[in-house]
Amino acid sequence: MAQKVTKAIFPVAGLGTRFLPATKSVPKEIMTLVDRPLIQYAIDEARAAGIKEFIFVTSRGKGALEDYFDHAPQLEAELERKGKTDLLDVLNETNMESGAVAYVRQHMAKGLGHAVWCARRLVGNEPVAVLLPDDVIAAEKPCLQQMVEAYEETGGNMVAAMEVPEAKTSSYGVLDVKEDHGNLVSVNGMVEKPKAGTAPSNLAVIGRYILTPKVLDNLNAMEEGAGGEIQLTDAIAKEIAASDDVYGFRFRGQRFDCGSKAGFLQATVAFGLQRPDLKDELEQYLVELAAVRQAAQ
Ligand code: G1P
């Protein structure tokens, strides 16, 4: 039986330059989709999948992230005094169990593989999930939970996968598909950010992974890949060659690329429309807006 996945790595060291000037003083992961920071969506997804230990790979200027997961005694006392129990409940949902959160710094921006490698001692000799908070996935059953359930059958390594337009494949890790079984695909290889026209398929890796300790070992070699960075994709690809124990998993759900402004805006609208307290007003606005724009054409 596959060993249980109870730890997750959240690489959050990026500078977030695409969101300047906001990210000059606010970590990208604290930016809000409706009223919850991006990172909260990833945490909730990890919790739903049974994750108990949360490892953040941070960098300089990410202090607000650490504070976010801390208790806020003054604020809590004030809300208590005013009898605002609904807001206290909202805060309580964000509190993490003592000792469940660990931070490790990535001192140099050497890529995603390097960020994951920085967490290796905290992971030890067990499987670990990796969640990239930029990839927000709206799903009835949270994406990582779907993956953990599939992993319980397969063991090994698993990456979330989704078809993308061919013209976009150069922005992703791309799977070279061996056998396609629908939800699960076996792979011959994986390529990080293939040059235009060279992608082995249009099945792209999305930011959810379940990794064996072997992949973290592979990162020790510190081999540079696409863009001169140490790529997680390459360390996983090595495992395909060594053990053939890598699966792509087509998740059910809608993925938003919150690393881009357009994706972030789309996610804001989509999550706003799911909120009972906002849905009607937002929907009415969108309908009116569409009508006004059409009339102006
Ligand atoms: C990272 C990974 C890439 C993956 C993508 C998913 O790239 O390196 O393999 O397809 O996340 O969002 P990034 O978007 O950080 O450049």
Side-chain angles (χ1 to χ4, degrees), residues 106-111 114 229:
Q106 184 187 22
H107 295 111
M108 289 170 288
K110 285 186 164 184
H114 181 259
E229 295 189 335

Side-chain angles (χ1 to χ4, degrees), residues 108-163:
M108 289 170 288
K110 285 186 164 184
L112 177 60
H114 181 259
V116 167
W117 176 83
C118 288
R120 69 201 179 282
R121 293 208 177 87
L122 294 167
V123 173
N125 192 30
E126 48 183 293
V128 66
V130 177
L131 296 95
L132 309 187
D134 273 1
D135 282 330
V136 175
I137 300 170
E140 217 163 285
K141 183 184 281 186
C143 178
L144 189 65
Q145 189 182 347
Q146 296 175 35
M147 286 172 74
V148 164
E149 286 174 10
Y151 159 86
E152 277 162 6
E153 304 289 321
T154 61
N157 298 280
M158 192 172 281
V159 301
M162 178 184 110
E163 261 85 19

Side-chain angles (χ1 to χ4, degrees), residues 18 28 112-113 132 134-135 160 169 171-174 190-193 204-209 229-233 255 257 259:
R18 275 194 267 181
K28 180 177 60 174
L112 177 60
L132 309 187
D134 273 1
D135 282 330
T169 48
S171 304
Y172 294 91
V174 180
M190 277 168 81
V191 193
E192 180 67 14
K193 308 216 165 68
V205 177
I206 299 303
R208 300 291 184 274
Y209 307 79
E229 295 189 335
I230 294 152
Q231 297 291 356
L232 184 57
T233 300
R255 174 255 186 177
D257 175 11

Side-chain angles (χ1 to χ4, degrees), residues 41-259:
Y41 292 85
I43 294 289
D44 290 349
E45 186 180 326
R47 275 182 170 151
I51 299 300
K52 305 282 183 240
E53 291 182 50
F54 304 81
I55 304 165
F56 293 89
V57 182
T58 68
S59 60
R60 186 179 294 274
K62 298 280 178 166
L65 257 176
E66 295 196 24
D67 290 345
Y68 178 77
F69 290 114
D70 206 348
H71 283 250
Q74 211 180 349
L75 180 60
E76 284 165 25
E78 190 62 14
L79 293 175
E80 192 123 29
R81 198 177 62 79
K82 291 187 173 156
K84 301 211 163 169
T85 49
D86 51 337
L87 290 179
L88 273 171
D89 289 345
V90 169
L91 278 191
N92 278 336
E93 283 170 26
T94 68
N95 286 340
M96 307 289 272
E97 207 187 311
S98 294
V101 185
Y103 303 93
V104 60
R105 276 207 181 187
Q106 184 187 22
H107 295 111
M108 289 170 288
K110 285 186 164 184
L112 177 60
H114 181 259
V116 167
W117 176 83
C118 288
R120 69 201 179 282
R121 293 208 177 87
L122 294 167
V123 173
N125 192 30
E126 48 183 293
V128 66
V130 177
L131 296 95
L132 309 187
D134 273 1
D135 282 330
V136 175
I137 300 170
E140 217 163 285
K141 183 184 281 186
C143 178
L144 189 65
Q145 189 182 347
Q146 296 175 35
M147 286 172 74
V148 164
E149 286 174 10
Y151 159 86
E152 277 162 6
E153 304 289 321
T154 61
N157 298 280
M158 192 172 281
V159 301
M162 178 184 110
E163 261 85 19
V164 298
E166 212 178 312
K168 294 265 173 82
T169 48
S170 58
S171 304
Y172 294 91
V174 180
L175 300 180
D176 180 356
V177 177
K178 183 156 82 181
E179 282 172 39
D180 197 328
H181 301 285
N183 280 355
L184 270 184
V185 301
S186 63
V187 288
N188 290 316
M190 277 168 81
V191 193
E192 180 67 14
K193 308 216 165 68
K195 296 215 163 62
T198 68
S201 75
N202 69 336
L203 193 57
V205 177
I206 299 303
R208 300 291 184 274
Y209 307 79
I210 296 173
L211 303 176
T212 58
K214 281 293 296 164
V215 170
L216 275 70
D217 284 349
N218 292 346
L219 288 165
N220 285 329
M222 291 289 152
E223 282 164 22
E224 288 180 7
E229 295 189 335
I230 294 152
Q231 297 291 356
L232 184 57
T233 300
D234 296 343
I236 301 170
K238 267 195 181 173
E239 269 318 280
I240 304 169
S243 65
D244 203 20
D245 218 4
V246 179
Y247 303 90
F249 180 78
R250 278 200 191 87
F251 55 93
R252 293 172 300 284
Q254 190 179 5
R255 174 255 186 177
F256 296 94
D257 175 11
C258 289

